[in-house]
Tab-separated table of all heavy atoms in Angstrom:
chain	number	residue	atom	x	y	z
A	244	ARG	N	212.555	158.025	25.356
A	244	ARG	CA	213.544	159.108	25.667
A	244	ARG	C	213.314	159.627	27.082
A	244	ARG	O	214.291	159.804	27.844
A	244	ARG	CB	213.375	160.253	24.657
A	244	ARG	CG	214.375	161.366	24.815
A	244	ARG	CD	214.100	162.485	23.810
A	244	ARG	NE	212.854	163.142	24.142
A	244	ARG	CZ	212.726	164.220	24.883
A	244	ARG	NH1	213.799	164.743	25.455
A	244	ARG	NH2	211.548	164.775	25.135
A	245	LEU	N	212.086	159.857	27.484
A	245	LEU	CA	211.798	160.345	28.820
A	245	LEU	C	212.066	159.245	29.861
A	245	LEU	O	212.676	159.549	30.861
A	245	LEU	CB	210.351	160.823	28.907
A	245	LEU	CG	209.936	161.389	30.261
A	245	LEU	CD1	210.675	162.680	30.550
A	245	LEU	CD2	208.446	161.621	30.305
A	248	GLY	N	215.708	158.813	30.773
A	248	GLY	CA	216.469	160.027	31.099
A	248	GLY	C	217.295	160.548	29.933
A	248	GLY	O	218.348	161.137	30.147
A	249	GLY	N	216.833	160.362	28.726
A	249	GLY	CA	217.529	160.858	27.570
A	249	GLY	C	218.693	159.973	27.083
A	249	GLY	O	219.335	160.309	26.109
A	577	ASN	N	219.751	162.477	36.461
A	577	ASN	CA	219.129	163.709	36.927
A	577	ASN	C	218.992	164.717	35.781
A	577	ASN	O	219.925	164.910	34.993
A	577	ASN	CB	219.977	164.330	38.068
A	577	ASN	CG	219.332	165.541	38.693
A	577	ASN	OD1	219.570	166.662	38.282
A	577	ASN	ND2	218.486	165.270	39.678
A	578	PRO	N	217.878	165.441	35.690
A	578	PRO	CA	217.678	166.382	34.553
A	578	PRO	C	218.423	167.717	34.737
A	578	PRO	O	218.644	168.423	33.769
A	578	PRO	CB	216.182	166.607	34.514
A	578	PRO	CG	215.732	166.303	35.953
A	578	PRO	CD	216.628	165.294	36.492
A	579	TYR	N	218.696	168.086	36.002
A	579	TYR	CA	219.247	169.409	36.249
A	579	TYR	C	220.765	169.474	36.249
A	579	TYR	O	221.387	170.448	35.863
A	579	TYR	CB	218.743	169.926	37.628
A	579	TYR	CG	217.268	169.713	37.830
A	579	TYR	CD1	216.782	168.843	38.795
A	579	TYR	CD2	216.346	170.384	37.012
A	579	TYR	CE1	215.404	168.641	38.961
A	579	TYR	CE2	214.979	170.170	37.154
A	579	TYR	CZ	214.510	169.295	38.137
A	579	TYR	OH	213.202	169.081	38.277
A	580	ALA	N	221.415	168.352	36.643
A	580	ALA	CA	222.854	168.315	36.729
A	580	ALA	C	223.531	168.592	35.362
A	580	ALA	O	224.516	169.331	35.316
A	580	ALA	CB	223.328	166.993	37.312
A	581	PRO	N	223.045	168.006	34.227
A	581	PRO	CA	223.691	168.346	32.923
A	581	PRO	C	223.607	169.827	32.636
A	581	PRO	O	224.533	170.361	32.016
A	581	PRO	CB	222.888	167.509	31.954
A	581	PRO	CG	222.235	166.440	32.723
A	581	PRO	CD	221.986	166.992	34.094
A	582	TYR	N	222.541	170.480	33.070
A	582	TYR	CA	222.416	171.912	32.825
A	582	TYR	C	223.559	172.639	33.541
A	582	TYR	O	224.223	173.488	32.950
A	582	TYR	CB	221.072	172.398	33.334
A	582	TYR	CG	220.946	173.889	33.556
A	582	TYR	CD1	220.667	174.741	32.474
A	582	TYR	CD2	221.090	174.442	34.807
A	582	TYR	CE1	220.544	176.114	32.642
A	582	TYR	CE2	220.992	175.806	34.998
A	582	TYR	CZ	220.715	176.636	33.938
A	582	TYR	OH	220.579	177.981	34.129
A	583	HIS	N	223.811	172.274	34.790
A	583	HIS	CA	224.857	172.978	35.540
A	583	HIS	C	226.259	172.588	35.022
A	583	HIS	O	227.166	173.431	35.046
A	583	HIS	CB	224.704	172.640	37.051
A	583	HIS	CG	223.490	173.243	37.663
A	583	HIS	ND1	223.287	174.579	37.814
A	583	HIS	CD2	222.330	172.646	38.088
A	583	HIS	CE1	222.104	174.821	38.371
A	583	HIS	NE2	221.508	173.654	38.521
A	601	ALA	N	229.506	172.265	26.351
A	601	ALA	CA	228.448	172.904	27.045
A	601	ALA	C	227.088	172.684	26.364
A	601	ALA	O	226.081	172.340	27.009
A	601	ALA	CB	228.724	174.370	27.179
A	602	LEU	N	227.068	172.850	25.039
A	602	LEU	CA	225.842	172.652	24.295
A	602	LEU	C	225.353	171.199	24.416
A	602	LEU	O	224.136	170.982	24.542
A	602	LEU	CB	226.030	173.024	22.822
A	602	LEU	CG	224.832	172.954	21.921
A	602	LEU	CD1	223.736	173.888	22.426
A	602	LEU	CD2	225.170	173.284	20.498
A	603	ALA	N	226.268	170.261	24.418
A	603	ALA	CA	225.889	168.873	24.548
A	603	ALA	C	225.203	168.596	25.879
A	603	ALA	O	224.190	167.871	25.955
A	603	ALA	CB	227.090	167.954	24.379
A	604	TYR	N	225.766	169.184	26.941
A	604	TYR	CA	225.151	169.028	28.271
A	604	TYR	C	223.792	169.725	28.325
A	604	TYR	O	222.841	169.185	28.927
A	604	TYR	CB	226.070	169.557	29.362
A	604	TYR	CG	227.059	168.525	29.860
A	604	TYR	CD1	228.391	168.720	29.743
A	604	TYR	CD2	226.611	167.350	30.479
A	604	TYR	CE1	229.313	167.786	30.219
A	604	TYR	CE2	227.488	166.394	30.957
A	604	TYR	CZ	228.858	166.597	30.815
A	604	TYR	OH	229.729	165.662	31.268
A	605	PHE	N	223.655	170.918	27.732
A	605	PHE	CA	222.349	171.552	27.740
A	605	PHE	C	221.312	170.725	26.976
A	605	PHE	O	220.155	170.629	27.388
A	605	PHE	CB	222.456	172.944	27.067
A	605	PHE	CG	223.234	173.952	27.878
A	605	PHE	CD1	224.073	174.873	27.281
A	605	PHE	CD2	223.120	173.997	29.276
A	605	PHE	CE1	224.761	175.821	28.035
A	605	PHE	CE2	223.777	174.903	30.051
A	605	PHE	CZ	224.631	175.826	29.405
A	606	ARG	N	221.743	170.080	25.883
A	606	ARG	CA	220.836	169.234	25.150
A	606	ARG	C	220.428	168.005	25.981
A	606	ARG	O	219.279	167.618	25.975
A	606	ARG	CB	221.490	168.760	23.845
A	606	ARG	CG	221.641	169.887	22.764
A	606	ARG	CD	222.000	169.284	21.420
A	606	ARG	NE	222.318	170.320	20.447
A	606	ARG	CZ	221.436	171.044	19.785
A	606	ARG	NH1	220.159	170.904	20.034
A	606	ARG	NH2	221.825	171.940	18.910
A	607	LEU	N	221.342	167.436	26.713
A	607	LEU	CA	221.012	166.313	27.586
A	607	LEU	C	220.027	166.714	28.665
A	607	LEU	O	219.046	165.979	28.944
A	607	LEU	CB	222.284	165.736	28.231
A	607	LEU	CG	222.097	164.572	29.198
A	607	LEU	CD1	221.391	163.392	28.500
A	607	LEU	CD2	223.424	164.112	29.779
A	608	SER	N	220.239	167.905	29.249
A	608	SER	CA	219.276	168.409	30.226
A	608	SER	C	217.908	168.603	29.629
A	608	SER	O	216.862	168.282	30.222
A	608	SER	CB	219.813	169.742	30.855
A	608	SER	OG	218.936	170.241	31.773
A	609	ALA	N	217.876	169.205	28.416
A	609	ALA	CA	216.598	169.388	27.739
A	609	ALA	C	215.915	168.084	27.416
A	609	ALA	O	214.698	167.917	27.546
A	609	ALA	CB	216.830	170.182	26.457
A	610	GLN	N	216.706	167.068	27.008
A	610	GLN	CA	216.138	165.727	26.737
A	610	GLN	C	215.441	165.163	27.943
A	610	GLN	O	214.531	164.398	27.850
A	610	GLN	CB	217.223	164.786	26.249
A	610	GLN	CG	217.691	165.019	24.828
A	610	GLN	CD	218.827	164.129	24.408
A	610	GLN	OE1	219.385	163.394	25.238
A	610	GLN	NE2	219.160	164.132	23.112
A	611	ARG	N	215.975	165.561	29.169
A	611	ARG	CA	215.378	165.090	30.368
A	611	ARG	C	214.288	166.017	30.924
A	611	ARG	O	213.852	165.935	32.058
A	611	ARG	CB	216.484	164.879	31.434
A	611	ARG	CG	217.479	163.805	31.034
A	611	ARG	CD	218.653	163.697	31.987
A	611	ARG	NE	219.562	162.627	31.569
A	611	ARG	CZ	220.718	162.356	32.184
A	611	ARG	NH1	221.146	163.084	33.223
A	611	ARG	NH2	221.456	161.361	31.755
A	612	ASN	N	213.856	166.940	30.031
A	612	ASN	CA	212.717	167.809	30.307
A	612	ASN	C	212.960	168.925	31.297
A	612	ASN	O	211.994	169.345	31.965
A	612	ASN	CB	211.462	166.996	30.687
A	612	ASN	CG	210.788	166.356	29.476
A	612	ASN	OD1	211.329	166.452	28.390
A	612	ASN	ND2	209.685	165.727	29.692
A	613	PHE	N	214.175	169.424	31.402
A	613	PHE	CA	214.417	170.596	32.253
A	613	PHE	C	214.317	171.836	31.387
A	613	PHE	O	215.046	171.953	30.359
A	613	PHE	CB	215.781	170.515	32.947
A	613	PHE	CG	216.110	171.769	33.745
A	613	PHE	CD1	215.162	172.272	34.627
A	613	PHE	CD2	217.333	172.356	33.620
A	613	PHE	CE1	215.452	173.406	35.378
A	613	PHE	CE2	217.622	173.515	34.376
A	613	PHE	CZ	216.687	174.026	35.256
A	614	LEU	N	213.452	172.781	31.735
A	614	LEU	CA	213.205	173.904	30.884
A	614	LEU	C	214.434	174.786	30.698
A	614	LEU	O	214.653	175.330	29.617
A	614	LEU	CB	212.116	174.782	31.496
A	614	LEU	CG	210.759	174.092	31.725
A	614	LEU	CD1	209.735	175.137	32.177
A	614	LEU	CD2	210.303	173.376	30.497
A	615	GLY	N	215.252	174.915	31.750
A	615	GLY	CA	216.464	175.731	31.607
A	615	GLY	C	217.398	175.256	30.484
A	615	GLY	O	218.097	176.076	29.873
A	616	GLY	N	217.393	173.983	30.175
A	616	GLY	CA	218.202	173.450	29.098
A	616	GLY	C	217.788	174.070	27.778
A	616	GLY	O	218.679	174.459	26.951
A	617	TYR	N	216.489	174.179	27.545
A	617	TYR	CA	216.048	174.762	26.269
A	617	TYR	C	216.402	176.255	26.157
A	617	TYR	O	216.771	176.767	25.108
A	617	TYR	CB	214.507	174.602	26.154
A	617	TYR	CG	214.075	173.178	25.947
A	617	TYR	CD1	213.686	172.390	27.001
A	617	TYR	CD2	214.152	172.601	24.671
A	617	TYR	CE1	213.353	171.045	26.802
A	617	TYR	CE2	213.793	171.293	24.476
A	617	TYR	CZ	213.393	170.523	25.549
A	617	TYR	OH	213.061	169.191	25.358
A	618	LEU	N	216.350	176.958	27.288
A	618	LEU	CA	216.716	178.365	27.273
A	618	LEU	C	218.191	178.566	26.892
A	618	LEU	O	218.513	179.423	26.070
A	618	LEU	CB	216.485	178.988	28.662
A	618	LEU	CG	215.013	179.244	29.022
A	618	LEU	CD1	214.891	179.707	30.462
A	618	LEU	CD2	214.427	180.275	28.086
A	619	TYR	N	219.084	177.747	27.449
A	619	TYR	CA	220.487	177.888	27.157
A	619	TYR	C	220.861	177.370	25.784
A	619	TYR	O	221.786	177.917	25.095
A	619	TYR	CB	221.356	177.249	28.252
A	619	TYR	CG	221.600	178.245	29.357
A	619	TYR	CD1	220.686	178.449	30.393
A	619	TYR	CD2	222.800	178.973	29.382
A	619	TYR	CE1	220.906	179.357	31.397
A	619	TYR	CE2	223.019	179.893	30.402
A	619	TYR	CZ	222.106	180.079	31.394
A	619	TYR	OH	222.307	181.010	32.400
A	620	ILE	N	220.163	176.347	25.287
A	620	ILE	CA	220.396	175.908	23.900
A	620	ILE	C	220.015	177.078	22.982
A	620	ILE	O	220.774	177.420	22.068
A	620	ILE	CB	219.500	174.696	23.585
A	620	ILE	CG1	219.970	173.462	24.315
A	620	ILE	CG2	219.506	174.434	22.080
A	620	ILE	CD1	219.035	172.287	24.257
A	621	ALA	N	218.858	177.676	23.226
A	621	ALA	CA	218.423	178.805	22.356
A	621	ALA	C	219.404	179.922	22.437
A	621	ALA	O	219.766	180.547	21.362
A	621	ALA	CB	217.041	179.291	22.862
A	640	ASN	N	213.536	176.592	20.334
A	640	ASN	CA	213.825	176.203	21.740
A	640	ASN	C	213.199	177.208	22.670
A	640	ASN	O	212.731	176.783	23.756
A	640	ASN	CB	215.341	176.132	21.915
A	640	ASN	CG	215.913	174.799	21.473
A	640	ASN	OD1	215.874	173.816	22.221
A	640	ASN	ND2	216.405	174.713	20.253
A	643	ILE	N	209.478	176.168	22.766
A	643	ILE	CA	209.252	174.957	23.551
A	643	ILE	C	209.331	175.274	25.041
A	643	ILE	O	208.459	174.804	25.829
A	643	ILE	CB	210.275	173.868	23.154
A	643	ILE	CG1	210.030	173.406	21.748
A	643	ILE	CG2	210.239	172.704	24.153
A	643	ILE	CD1	211.185	172.572	21.190
A	644	ALA	N	210.266	176.063	25.431
A	644	ALA	CA	210.426	176.399	26.868
A	644	ALA	C	209.182	177.166	27.371
A	644	ALA	O	208.705	176.906	28.478
A	644	ALA	CB	211.676	177.268	27.073
A	647	ALA	N	206.171	174.634	27.517
A	647	ALA	CA	206.355	173.654	28.605
A	647	ALA	C	206.210	174.309	29.983
A	647	ALA	O	205.724	173.692	30.923
A	647	ALA	CB	207.743	173.008	28.451
A	689	TRP	N	208.058	169.416	17.253
A	689	TRP	CA	208.558	168.859	18.477
A	689	TRP	C	207.460	168.612	19.456
A	689	TRP	O	207.332	167.520	20.079
A	689	TRP	CB	209.632	169.765	19.085
A	689	TRP	CG	210.334	169.167	20.267
A	689	TRP	CD1	211.567	168.527	20.276
A	689	TRP	CD2	209.869	169.112	21.620
A	689	TRP	NE1	211.889	168.118	21.536
A	689	TRP	CE2	210.830	168.447	22.375
A	689	TRP	CE3	208.735	169.557	22.267
A	689	TRP	CZ2	210.743	168.236	23.719
A	689	TRP	CZ3	208.612	169.322	23.612
A	689	TRP	CH2	209.572	168.670	24.363
A	693	TYR	N	206.532	164.987	20.953
A	693	TYR	CA	206.904	164.658	22.348
A	693	TYR	C	205.858	165.028	23.385
A	693	TYR	O	205.804	164.482	24.421
A	693	TYR	CB	208.215	165.313	22.739
A	693	TYR	CG	209.420	164.759	21.984
A	693	TYR	CD1	210.121	165.566	21.113
A	693	TYR	CD2	209.817	163.445	22.112
A	693	TYR	CE1	211.223	165.058	20.409
A	693	TYR	CE2	210.896	162.950	21.436
A	693	TYR	CZ	211.578	163.746	20.559
A	693	TYR	OH	212.643	163.255	19.873
A	694	GLY	N	204.980	165.993	23.044
A	694	GLY	CA	203.960	166.419	23.991
A	694	GLY	C	204.560	167.217	25.168
A	694	GLY	O	205.772	167.305	25.328
A	698	PHE	N	206.227	167.115	31.092
A	698	PHE	CA	206.981	168.128	31.848
A	698	PHE	C	206.427	168.238	33.251
A	698	PHE	O	207.116	168.656	34.207
A	698	PHE	CB	206.862	169.498	31.184
A	698	PHE	CG	207.902	169.692	30.067
A	698	PHE	CD1	207.547	169.348	28.765
A	698	PHE	CD2	209.149	170.158	30.313
A	698	PHE	CE1	208.478	169.510	27.724
A	698	PHE	CE2	210.066	170.313	29.292
A	698	PHE	CZ	209.716	169.985	28.003
A	701	VAL	N	208.185	165.116	35.433
A	701	VAL	CA	209.618	164.905	35.630
A	701	VAL	C	209.959	165.038	37.051
A	701	VAL	O	209.587	165.999	37.731
A	701	VAL	CB	210.445	165.902	34.708
A	701	VAL	CG1	210.191	167.320	35.132
A	701	VAL	CG2	211.913	165.574	34.833
Side-chain angles (χ1 to χ4, degrees):
R244 184 183 66 92
L245 181 66
N577 186 268
Y579 314 114
Y582 164 82
H583 293 292
L602 183 60
Y604 272 119
F605 290 142
R606 290 193 187 281
L607 179 58
S608 179
Q610 286 177 351
R611 295 175 179 176
N612 280 5
F613 178 48
L614 302 187
Y617 291 97
L618 286 174
Y619 271 84
I620 291 169
N640 278 277
I643 292 167
W689 188 98
Y693 293 115
F698 277 91
V701 63

